[in-house]
Amino acid sequence: MILNSCSMSPQPLSPHNFRDLFDSVEAFLFDCDGVIWKGDELIDGVPQTLDMLRAKGKKLVFVTNNSWKSRSQYADKFRSLGISVSQDEIFSSSFAAAMYLKVNNFPSQNKVYVIGGEGILEELQLAGITAFGGPDDANKTIDLKQNCFVEHDKSVGAVVVGIDPNINYYKLQYGTLCIRENPGCLFIATNRDAVGHMTALQEWPGAGCMVAAICGSTQKEPVVVGKPSTFMMEFLLKKFNVSCSKMCMVGDRLDTDILFGQNAGCKTLLVLSGCTTQSALQDPSNNIQPDYYTSKISDMLDLSGA
Amino acid sequence: MILNSCSMSPQPLSPHNFRDLFDSVEAFLFDCDGVIWKGDELIDGVPQTLDMLRAKGKKLVFVTNNSWKSRSQYADKFRSLGISVSQDEIFSSSFAAAMYLKVNNFPSQNKVYVIGGEGILEELQLAGITAFGGPDDANKTIDLKQNCFVEHDKSVGAVVVGIDPNINYYKLQYGTLCIRENPGCLFIATNRDAVGHMTALQEWPGAGCMVAAICGSTQKEPVVVGKPSTFMMEFLLKKFNVSCSKMCMVGDRLDTDILFGQNAGCKTLLVLSGCTTQSALQDPSNNIQPDYYTSKISDMLDLSGA
């Protein structure tokens, strides 16, 4: 019993266990928000850590649940923060939503209605899928007069919902009508994060808020394509010739990042630079235990002796 | 087995069973939307039916989950439709929210943040509770720049969420901050209706949509004061000296009206003039069975022979 319980407890990253982890891992999968940056501010020591990992031959992958941007927009964000990352190393939930429709042979005559950001529309377009909504519906208002009626497109075959700071009643009604009234219409959530560091100064409602709103009005549950769903993993595995056991998922969230890593059979490292505190990790109510935890990814730089 | 199943099945209202129901009931509790009106349009035969019931000495109570209006605003709406109803006969979920705080001794130095309509603010004010938000925050916008920060009032001790066609990211953030960061802050839902006939022409997302959004961002569940919660029943019982078994709840929704009536020990009558179809009622997946069902409340007029 005692042995069991010890082996389940997450270990703080230390000079002793770091070498084992480092040597056994060929690819590090990083969450972005709370790991690489907070809002638009880089977390201390990140560029040097990524440089060290590349220099040691490790593959790097960035797996973000934030669907606001497309992969190319994320590559731009990395560049603007002084980090060189190729679009192929980025897996965003906006991309995952497009890939989900693609692998499920979404009919070419059908359209997608988007509650979320430009990034989703861009990834859908790249996948050859017709989509509308998103930022274009940001300023639509509803005045509930008696003749008020929202006409919806009967060819919408999927509603994709992600983080949307421009959420409004028009979008909620449009998405609800499509899901309730168009036969077979899919309801896809990029992710269900409750909150996120949309700005450096505080946390804000995440996609989990908008997704729940549509669950509330449709009484349906979505297909989730972002973490902790392992849907993105099959793309990762195709692109990088590495087995899951030689991957380490590094993230700041237990219920998305660490669960995603565990669901996929990866090693897992929790960093405390984002939304999870050490006391939340060690709280008896928490039942998601990473293999390792540390304060921030640059601890790996110190431990590597580089 | 067969007998059991027969006794569970809802009976269509008929000349045979109507007299039993009518004679045993002293008070009829009516839902409004889908029963009395659809949007701002009266359903056929309603005024005559209510007149007949009053003439026969029945007490009438109107129990609405729609929190957009206060009781006095509902009385105005009845008047504008040519029906005379006193404010004391109306129980709205906006009133229930105020009463919930009142009976739970909400501290007078605390405030309430409202995601919802003017009706909630008005009922809270009548109960002597300081409230803000609602329509005043309808036009607040959020631009997620790095210095963007919503400062929230630490004295907010409850967030009340109802139907809000002016829902926006500012309100979602404000309510989320209060619930997550103010110790002991209550999360109160006026109701969780998925959709409702906000206009005569179509259904629209109901309070269940906004409530779910806040559940999604806070990962907390609300206290629900509207139907099917029987919280309002203790006020009804105080005001009308009638036992529950001599009440009949008349509504168009299985999961709010009929369940509310059953939870309270009332007789129940489903009308098909609102959001429930006969096939939905008889679908094997439906496990909420009213005692009786009929197409609209004016069927009672015909059956009474008045």
Side-chain angles (χ1 to χ4, degrees):
Chain A
M1 284 292 276
I2 289 170
L3 265 173
N4 238 348
S5 137
C6 282
S7 71
M8 297 286 288
S9 290
Q11 299 175 39
L13 212 54
S14 70
H16 173 69
N17 59 29
F18 175 70
R19 187 50 54 191
D20 288 346
L21 173 69
F22 195 78
D23 289 347
S24 66
V25 165
E26 291 181 22
F28 282 90
L29 278 52
F30 291 100
D31 175 43
C32 295
D33 179 29
V35 178
I36 305 295
W37 57 60
K38 273 194 171 187
D40 286 339
E41 285 175 21
L42 212 52
I43 290 172
D44 263 5
V46 164
Q48 300 86 333
T49 308
L50 300 181
D51 286 347
M52 178 275 289
L53 292 171
R54 285 195 197 276
K56 300 277 188 185
K58 306 299 179 188
K59 286 173 177 152
L60 306 187
V61 187
F62 300 89
V63 186
T64 175
N65 258 1
N66 191 328
S67 61
W68 190 247
K69 293 185 162 76
S70 62
R71 288 166 300 154
S72 106
Q73 289 169 318
Y74 275 113
D76 290 345
K77 175 164 181 173
F78 274 101
R79 241 187 314 278
S80 76
L81 294 169
I83 301 175
S84 174
V85 165
S86 99
Q87 187 175 314
D88 286 348
E89 292 172 313
I90 300 169
F91 288 79
S92 61
S93 63
S94 50
F95 173 63
M99 287 304 100
Y100 181 86
L101 293 171
K102 193 94 176 157
V103 301
N104 285 285
N105 302 312
F106 189 70
S108 60
Q109 71 276 18
N110 281 6
K111 296 179 198 144
V112 174
Y113 184 68
V114 174
I115 297 176
E118 184 60 41
I120 300 173
L121 288 162
E122 192 176 311
E123 292 292 353
L124 289 169
Q125 197 177 15
L126 283 171
I129 295 166
T130 308
F132 65 104
D136 285 344
D137 289 346
N139 299 316
K140 295 209 172 138
T141 55
I142 292 288
D143 184 8
L144 283 179
K145 295 239 171 72
Q146 275 312 289
N147 59 355
C148 187
F149 182 86
V150 169
E151 175 113 39
H152 76 283
D153 187 329
K154 307 298 184 292
S155 74
V156 169
V159 175
V160 174
V161 185
I163 169 85
D164 192 341
N166 300 312
I167 189 70
N168 59 37
Y169 201 51
Y170 175 88
K171 293 185 186 186
L172 293 169
Q173 170 69 334
Y174 204 104
T176 300
L177 287 171
C178 294
I179 293 170
R180 290 184 81 207
E181 298 188 7
N182 290 1
C185 181
L186 300 170
F187 171 19
I188 296 169
T190 59
N191 63 303
R192 299 197 76 160
D193 292 39
V195 291
H197 266 288
M198 314 312 165
T199 69
L201 296 177
Q202 66 184 172
E203 288 187 311
W204 297 79
C209 178
M210 294 82 205
V211 170
I214 295 292
C215 293
S217 57
T218 61
Q219 300 185 297
K220 297 224 166 123
E221 286 296 309
V223 172
V224 181
V225 295
K227 298 174 280 186
S229 144
T230 55
F231 173 76
M232 274 192 280
M233 193 48 85
E234 65 179 278
F235 293 91
L236 270 157
L237 295 175
K238 262 184 216 157
K239 188 149 298 189
F240 302 92
N241 192 21
V242 178
S243 77
C244 292
S245 65
K246 293 191 170 177
M247 293 182 177
C248 179
M249 177 67 210
V250 184
D252 71 322
R253 281 175 194 272
L254 294 163
D255 60 350
T256 52
D257 301 321
I258 301 306
L259 196 56
F260 170 76
Q262 289 177 343
N263 287 343
C266 303
K267 293 188 171 64
T268 55
L269 168 61
L270 179 80
V271 288
L272 304 174
S273 51
C275 72
T276 306
T277 59
Q278 187 161 349
S279 64
L281 170 64
Q282 290 167 342
D283 192 280
S285 71
N286 168 41
N287 52 18
I288 303 172
Q289 305 291 349
D291 296 316
Y292 306 96
Y293 70 95
T294 197
S295 66
K296 54 191 184 306
I297 69 166
S298 63
D299 295 342
M300 293 204 280
L301 189 68
D302 303 334
L303 290 166
S304 76
Chain B
M1 284 293 276
I2 289 169
L3 268 172
N4 236 347
S5 136
C6 282
S7 70
M8 298 286 288
S9 289
Q11 299 175 39
L13 213 54
S14 70
H16 174 69
N17 59 27
F18 175 71
R19 188 49 55 189
D20 288 346
L21 173 69
F22 196 77
D23 291 346
S24 65
V25 165
E26 294 182 20
F28 283 90
L29 279 51
F30 291 100
D31 176 42
C32 297
D33 179 28
V35 178
I36 305 296
W37 56 62
K38 272 194 173 188
D40 286 337
E41 286 174 21
L42 213 51
I43 290 171
D44 263 5
V46 164
Q48 300 86 332
T49 308
L50 299 181
D51 287 347
M52 178 275 289
L53 292 172
R54 285 195 199 276
K56 301 276 188 188
K58 305 299 180 189
K59 288 175 176 150
L60 306 186
V61 187
F62 301 89
V63 187
T64 174
N65 258 0
N66 192 329
S67 61
W68 189 246
K69 293 183 161 75
S70 62
R71 288 165 301 154
S72 108
Q73 289 170 318
Y74 275 113
D76 290 345
K77 175 163 181 174
F78 275 100
R79 242 186 313 280
S80 75
L81 294 170
I83 302 175
S84 174
V85 166
S86 97
Q87 187 176 313
D88 286 349
E89 294 172 312
I90 300 169
F91 288 79
S92 62
S93 64
S94 51
F95 174 62
M99 286 306 100
Y100 181 86
L101 293 171
K102 193 96 175 154
V103 301
N104 285 286
N105 302 311
F106 189 69
S108 60
Q109 71 276 17
N110 280 7
K111 296 180 197 139
V112 174
Y113 183 69
V114 174
I115 296 176
E118 184 59 39
I120 300 173
L121 288 162
E122 192 177 311
E123 292 292 354
L124 289 169
Q125 198 177 13
L126 283 171
I129 295 165
T130 308
F132 66 103
D136 285 345
D137 289 346
N139 299 315
K140 294 209 173 140
T141 54
I142 291 288
D143 183 8
L144 283 178
K145 296 241 169 72
Q146 275 311 287
N147 58 355
C148 185
F149 182 85
V150 169
E151 176 113 39
H152 75 285
D153 187 329
K154 307 296 184 294
S155 74
V156 169
V159 175
V160 174
V161 184
I163 168 84
D164 193 340
N166 300 313
I167 190 69
N168 61 37
Y169 201 52
Y170 175 88
K171 294 184 185 187
L172 293 169
Q173 169 70 334
Y174 204 104
T176 301
L177 287 171
C178 293
I179 293 170
R180 292 183 80 209
E181 298 188 6
N182 290 1
C185 182
L186 300 169
F187 171 19
I188 296 170
T190 60
N191 64 303
R192 298 197 75 161
D193 292 39
V195 292
H197 265 289
M198 314 314 165
T199 69
L201 297 176
Q202 67 183 170
E203 289 186 312
W204 298 78
C209 177
M210 293 82 204
V211 170
I214 295 293
C215 293
S217 57
T218 62
Q219 298 184 300
K220 297 224 165 122
E221 285 297 308
V223 172
V224 181
V225 294
K227 298 173 283 184
S229 144
T230 55
F231 173 75
M232 274 191 280
M233 195 47 85
E234 64 179 281
F235 293 91
L236 271 157
L237 294 177
K238 264 182 217 161
K239 187 150 299 190
F240 302 92
N241 193 20
V242 178
S243 76
C244 292
S245 66
K246 295 191 170 178
M247 293 182 178
C248 178
M249 177 69 211
V250 184
D252 71 322
R253 279 175 195 272
L254 294 163
D255 60 350
T256 53
D257 302 320
I258 301 307
L259 195 55
F260 169 75
Q262 289 178 342
N263 287 343
C266 304
K267 295 190 170 60
T268 54
L269 168 60
L270 179 80
V271 288
L272 304 174
S273 52
C275 72
T276 306
T277 59
Q278 185 162 350
S279 64
L281 170 65
Q282 290 167 342
D283 192 281
S285 70
N286 168 40
N287 51 18
I288 303 172
Q289 304 291 350
D291 296 316
Y292 306 96
Y293 70 95
T294 197
S295 68
K296 54 192 182 307
I297 69 167
S298 63
D299 296 342
M300 293 204 280
L301 189 68
D302 303 334
L303 289 166
S304 75

